[in-house]
Amino acid sequence: MLNDIQEKYNEQTFVQNPTISETRYLYGLFNDSLKLRTEYRLSKTITDSVIMYKYISETDLSRSLKIGYNLNSKILSFDIGSQYEVDKLKVLSDSEGNSFDCYKMKNPIVDGIEPILFNENYGILALTGALNPSAFFISKKDNVSFVRQIEEILYH
């Protein structure tokens, strides 16, 4: 009996945070021309209070991106320090039933990236900015019509 108790308390308790991996296709909008840029591997790690999203480029690791989403405050945080909060709820829905909210910078800057379309389950759908090209992270490779729908909402 003592051996059973000792073994029970000597065991290392290791709780692994669930990690989900999905594919996203990055489309970029340059001079009104839409182009498929590259494939990304999206890795989501979920904890009690934060979901970490890592977008890893399949072709160029320097183009990878890391974002945290605080489940309590509903704040998006980029690894470069920028923070975003909800501006408008349910701006767009996709064919898979995801509704995307519009996020804007907490402390806006001239060359900032905003608005961002985001959903806690899906991650980032679109990154836009006045001085930056727009980027769309789409789950289906040849869904150009959905990208055009996003453009219509963001630019009109």
Side-chain angles (χ1 to χ4, degrees):
M1 182 172 132
L2 289 176
N3 282 340
D4 290 340
I5 293 172
Q6 186 176 5
E7 284 179 22
K8 179 180 178 184
Y9 287 101
N10 282 340
E11 289 179 6
Q12 283 270 352
T13 56
F14 178 72
V15 178
Q16 184 175 356
N17 294 324
T19 300
I20 301 164
S21 182
E22 300 174 4
T23 300
R24 295 288 186 264
Y25 300 96
L26 175 67
Y27 284 85
L29 184 62
F30 304 98
N31 299 328
D32 292 333
S33 177
L34 185 64
K35 296 182 180 177
L36 175 61
R37 297 273 318 223
T38 188
E39 184 176 324
Y40 276 74
R41 174 69 44 203
L42 168 59
S43 170
K44 292 189 292 187
T45 304
I46 303 164
T47 65
D48 290 339
S49 60
V50 175
I51 302 174
M52 291 303 300
Y53 302 85
K54 292 180 186 174
Y55 292 82
I56 302 163
S57 172
E58 297 288 337
T59 57
D60 183 358
L61 290 178
S62 69
R63 295 192 175 270
S64 296
L65 166 68
K66 188 168 112 177
I67 300 162
Y69 178 68
N70 186 306
L71 294 165
N72 299 322
S73 66
K74 307 294 186 206
I75 299 285
L76 272 177
S77 299
F78 281 74
D79 58 351
I80 56 172
S82 301
Q83 292 189 331
Y84 294 78
E85 58 192 351
V86 174
D87 182 53
K88 296 178 188 168
L89 296 172
K90 297 186 181 175
V91 175
L92 173 74
S93 294
D94 67 7
S95 62
E96 298 166 9
N98 295 307
S99 294
F100 295 90
D101 298 327
C102 180
Y103 282 74
K104 293 208 173 175
M105 294 183 90
K106 282 183 74 168
N107 300 308
I109 57 175
V110 174
D111 61 347
I113 297 171
E114 69 173 25
I116 294 174
L117 294 184
F118 173 81
N119 170 296
E120 172 182 325
N121 296 316
Y122 184 92
I124 295 220
L125 176 64
L127 299 167
T128 60
L131 302 177
N132 301 301
S134 296
F136 307 94
F137 290 95
I138 307 300
S139 59
K140 296 177 185 169
K141 189 171 185 174
D142 294 319
N143 199 353
V144 175
S145 62
F146 184 53
V147 175
R148 294 291 181 200
Q149 181 183 359
I150 298 167
E151 285 181 77
E152 186 70 29
I153 287 170
L154 291 174
Y155 299 118
H156 300 290

